[in-house]
Amino acid sequence: MKDLGPISYFLGISVTRHSGGLFLSQKKYAEEIIERAGMPSSKPSPTPVDTKAKLSISSGNPYHDPTEYRSLAGALQYLTFTRPGISYAVQQICLFMHDPRTQHISALKHIIRYIQGTLDLGLHLYPSSDHTLTSYTDADWGGCPDTRRSTSGYCVYLGDNLLSWSAKRQPTLSRSSAEAEYRGVANVVSESCWIRNLLLELHCPISKATLVYCDNVSAVYLSSNPVQHQRTKHIEMDIHFVREKVAHGKVRVLHVPSRYQIADIFTKGLPQQLFDDFRDSLNVRQPPVSMNGSSSEPENQGDLITILSIDGGGVRGIIPSEVLSVLESKLQKLDEDNKDARIADYFDFIAGTSTGGLMTAMLTAPNEKKRPLFAAKDIAKFYQEKCPIIFPNEAGAHETVPEGDVRISDPEATKQSGTMATSAAPYYFPPHYFETSKPFNLIDGGVAANNPSFLAVCEATKEKNTDFKKIVILSLGTGEPDASGRLEVGNAKWGIVDWLWQDDNSTPLLDILTTAPDEMTEKYISNVFQIIGLEHNYTRIQAQLKPSEAMMDNTRKGNLESLKKIGRDLAEQNDAKLEAIASRLVDIRKARLTHMSA
């Protein structure tokens, strides 16, 4: 037996090692498929399948060369090994192998045109100390026009890495959407159990429960409800199977909003923006810049620069405060040498806009022992107590803030904590003049300076004299308002008044000014990390809000409690991410301490 060294090419799959992990690609194989189909000059398509009605067995006339169709469909099946994003499209065309028709071959060529425009994409695998299994499952109820059977799809992650995925038509008819979704839950729980057993045999046991995310509330309820109902007797085996795993603590079935249901990509055609987002979540991305083997990251993890960025959002600051509370508790558990760990111990720069700036100061301001004045868990409590004072009440009046509450008792406190500046809308925080080592004018920057991530990167590269490849960012949002349907112009012609006010009480111009920054904060910075092949150095955690939850100055007790729950749910949904981030931050800190003591 001969040792051939590290794997580089196996069964048509190219394996490239780089500092961030492994990159799996079938580019050469994909080019062969395109050549075989006679489409080397075809116009690329942005997605592998459109959002129109699904294919039927009687779509069009019989195709003249069924053998060619079957050959190309089979070849595309193998391509899904590193391109899970095309799994649903390939599954659909494979349903008609026995009798391909003209519309079926058109759908097949649509997939090839998508591949033509995305030849460089491949599957990334990253090193991770997180051994949590996380699954997403979805079902398209009654989607098949011929049989009305549902299409199930799921994906399973080990830490941040995609491990298993599937797009498959269910073998039986479902009488309700809840039934179709629950069959999908049972399928992914079965797959997760197999993976857990496999890892156990490989001496890598999973101690934590597998998290299964489903966007159907009824299916989530069925997984833990011990009462049988007349309408669920025919799926009793699936129900008992999942409930048994839940009762034994092996599985937790949780709800996820449809906007973040990654498994949607395996059950239906999606608009380009949503498809691109979900494809990126599957770790299907461009190859890393360091494909030539040169290191994209410093050899010493202690050389990395860590940044925490917090968006603005008024009272919605409660949402990221709950996420930070969970992150801080994880740091305290993982770092045995720092049981009183605080967020500021692990980040070189903490940046925030508006309410995020307030949280930044709270996380970094020192007490008399030179330790952070506030623990992360104290921030949500502070917001609930002080929001009626800080923000205008709902009648539109401003509370009078006593001078002692806003006066800086120690002019050096801001300087010592490293707090340099923030920005805020003067509607909430009036312009304010104060002095530390130099005079400051706190003025409105809510429109011009609303990307705390970029501002922190600029300061980091300037102060630390470092490059972008050494930067690790955790970006926390304060909730993204769901504006679907509110800015649809249709055939109407808008005038000045229409931009300012609509019949449904929406204000389009203000909505654009307030929602666009949330979206662009993510797009700008994430695209940079993606281009340089260091996607794992940027993590964004954001919640989706209903319009009624998106108000920045609703200080009613019920709303504050609702925001607190949203923050807790967000932290729970991203538990695996937070565990991985905490582990990495601890490793970076320990590497620095080791280097300093050497």
Side-chain angles (χ1 to χ4, degrees):
M1 184 178 291
K2 183 178 180 181
D3 183 3
L4 300 178
I7 186 172
S8 60
Y9 199 80
F10 181 72
L11 296 178
I13 301 175
S14 170
V15 182
T16 304
R17 295 177 181 271
H18 58 94
S19 61
L22 295 176
F23 177 70
L24 310 183
S25 171
Q26 290 174 282
K27 181 178 179 179
K28 184 178 179 181
Y29 180 71
E31 290 173 337
E32 292 174 358
I33 295 176
I34 295 170
E35 193 68 32
R36 192 193 310 177
M39 302 173 62
S41 303
S42 60
K43 182 181 178 181
S45 171
T47 61
V49 62
D50 58 35
T51 56
K52 298 177 182 178
K54 297 190 177 183
L55 297 173
S56 170
I57 195 170
S58 58
S59 300
N61 299 316
Y63 184 56
H64 70 276
D65 192 351
T67 302
E68 179 192 38
Y69 181 92
R70 293 167 189 141
S71 174
L72 291 173
L76 289 172
Q77 276 188 309
Y78 189 63
L79 189 61
T80 62
F81 278 26
T82 61
R83 301 290 296 274
I86 66 172
S87 296
Y88 167 71
V90 173
Q91 179 265 341
Q92 285 291 296
I93 63 168
C94 286
L95 292 174
F96 310 102
M97 291 277 216
H98 62 290
D99 184 22
R101 294 179 173 261
T102 50
Q103 286 195 19
H104 304 155
I105 190 67
S106 296
L108 188 150
K109 290 182 177 180
H110 191 136
I111 301 173
I112 294 177
R113 289 196 295 111
Y114 166 74
I115 296 169
Q116 171 80 357
T118 57
L119 277 171
D120 291 332
L121 294 183
L123 184 65
H124 287 260
L125 298 175
Y126 303 114
S128 174
S129 58
D130 180 18
H131 295 162
T132 304
L133 277 179
T134 306
S135 308
Y136 293 83
T137 177
D138 190 39
D140 183 26
W141 178 45
C144 177
D146 300 313
T147 65
R148 286 305 169 192
R149 293 180 184 176
S150 307
T151 301
S152 287
Y154 67 74
C155 53
V156 183
Y157 292 82
L158 178 60
D160 294 329
N161 294 305
L162 183 65
L163 210 60
S164 176
W165 59 91
S166 172
K168 188 177 181 180
R169 189 169 64 181
Q170 293 183 358
T172 57
L173 197 66
S174 296
R175 298 174 62 188
S176 67
S177 59
E179 180 182 333
E181 296 276 5
Y182 202 84
R183 292 188 193 278
V185 171
N187 288 339
V188 77
V189 169
S190 177
E191 177 73 5
S192 299
C193 289
W194 179 83
I195 293 173
R196 290 176 72 99
N197 290 333
L198 176 63
L199 292 172
L200 180 62
E201 292 181 12
L202 295 174
H203 303 287
C204 298
I206 302 294
S207 57
K208 293 185 178 181
T210 299
L211 302 179
V212 177
Y213 288 105
C214 174
D215 60 5
N216 186 281
V217 176
S218 297
V220 174
Y221 178 69
L222 279 173
S223 68
S224 56
N225 179 22
V227 180
Q228 284 288 345
H229 296 283
Q230 185 72 24
R231 297 175 61 185
T232 59
K233 284 185 176 180
H234 57 295
I235 55 170
E236 188 173 342
M237 295 301 292
D238 283 339
I239 289 178
H240 279 300
F241 170 68
V242 175
R243 281 185 189 159
E244 182 180 87
K245 300 300 179 183
V246 171
H248 291 168
K250 298 291 182 65
V251 171
R252 293 179 63 198
V253 182
L254 306 171
H255 180 259
V256 63
S258 296
R259 174 61 181 84
Y260 303 105
Q261 177 52 279
I262 300 171
D264 265 358
I265 201 172
F266 299 109
T267 63
K268 59 179 74 72
L270 299 173
Q272 182 182 353
Q273 182 61 56
L274 194 58
F275 177 82
D276 289 345
D277 289 346
F278 286 163
R279 183 188 65 191
D280 187 70
S281 297
L282 297 175
N283 293 338
V284 177
R285 299 165 182 158
Q286 293 286 342
V289 174
S290 58
M291 287 290 281
N292 59 5
S294 61
S295 176
S296 293
E297 289 188 356
E299 293 183 5
N300 179 19
Q301 289 290 300
D303 291 338
L304 293 171
I305 305 299
T306 53
I307 292 174
L308 171 62
S309 169
I310 311 170
D311 291 359
V315 298
R316 287 166 17 206
I318 292 177
I319 296 173
S321 74
E322 291 292 338
V323 175
L324 287 172
S325 179
V326 172
L327 177 61
E328 191 169 82
S329 66
K330 288 182 180 295
L331 290 169
Q332 292 167 351
K333 291 177 182 177
L334 290 172
D335 198 342
E336 297 178 355
D337 300 327
N338 190 19
K339 292 300 182 183
D340 186 33
R342 296 291 175 87
I343 292 294
D345 296 336
Y346 299 87
F347 288 97
D348 299 295
F349 292 85
I350 302 180
T353 293
S354 189
T355 198
L358 176 61
M359 294 172 65
T360 296
M362 295 175 70
L363 291 168
T364 56
N367 59 18
E368 64 278 0
K369 296 181 180 179
K370 306 300 181 183
R371 294 291 293 152
L373 191 60
F374 287 87
K377 64 182 180 181
D378 298 328
I379 297 179
K381 183 179 178 182
F382 173 88
Y383 266 79
Q384 288 184 304
E385 292 178 354
K386 303 296 183 181
C387 273
I389 300 175
I390 300 174
F391 301 98
N393 61 37
E394 293 190 81
H398 289 73
E399 298 286 348
T400 302
V401 182
E403 184 182 1
D405 287 347
V406 296
R407 186 176 55 222
I408 300 176
S409 57
D410 181 2
E412 291 300 310
T414 305
K415 178 181 176 183
Q416 291 173 8
S417 72
T419 304
M420 299 177 63
T422 186
S423 60
Y427 182 70
Y428 297 121
F429 301 120
H432 181 64
Y433 173 84
F434 63 96
E435 295 182 4
T436 56
S437 56
K438 59 180 180 180
F440 279 87
N441 289 282
L442 183 67
I443 59 173
D444 177 18
V447 174
N450 48 26
N451 194 328
S453 297
F454 261 137
L455 295 176
V457 167
C458 291
E459 290 298 327
T461 52
K462 180 174 66 175
E463 183 173 322
K464 298 289 186 178
N465 193 26
T466 187
D467 59 59
F468 211 90
K469 296 177 181 178
K470 295 182 179 180
I471 292 175
V472 178
I473 297 178
L474 170 59
S475 175
L476 301 181
T478 56
E480 178 184 13
D482 182 6
S484 57
R486 299 190 66 188
L487 299 176
E488 293 180 2
V489 180
N491 296 323
K493 293 182 179 179
W494 282 19
I496 296 177
V497 175
D498 298 298
W499 278 103
L500 297 175
W501 191 266
Q502 290 285 304
D503 292 338
D504 62 356
N505 293 328
S506 64
T507 52
L509 188 59
L510 290 177
D511 287 344
I512 291 171
L513 288 174
T514 55
T515 60
D518 290 337
E519 298 173 6
M520 299 317 295
T521 294
E522 159 73 6
K523 285 296 177 186
Y524 287 141
I525 202 81
S526 64
N527 284 345
V528 174
F529 278 93
Q530 184 173 337
I531 290 169
I532 64 176
L534 292 173
E535 298 94 332
H536 59 292
N537 278 2
Y538 176 76
T539 302
R540 172 74 168 172
I541 296 179
Q542 175 71 295
Q544 188 174 36
L545 304 178
K546 300 174 184 176
S548 60
E549 299 166 335
M551 295 178 64
M552 294 187 288
D553 57 354
N554 184 353
T555 58
R556 288 181 176 176
K557 184 177 180 181
N559 184 62
L560 299 182
E561 289 294 335
S562 175
L563 293 174
K564 187 173 183 179
K565 183 180 184 303
I566 291 171
R568 288 178 175 175
D569 291 344
L570 182 65
E572 188 173 40
Q573 292 166 13
N574 290 274
D575 186 75
K577 276 187 181 180
L578 293 173
E579 187 77 23
I581 292 166
S583 177
R584 193 175 190 195
L585 290 172
V586 170
D587 290 343
I588 292 172
R589 183 174 184 272
K590 287 183 176 180
R592 288 181 183 177
L593 294 176
T594 301
H595 180 72
M596 291 170 61
S597 60

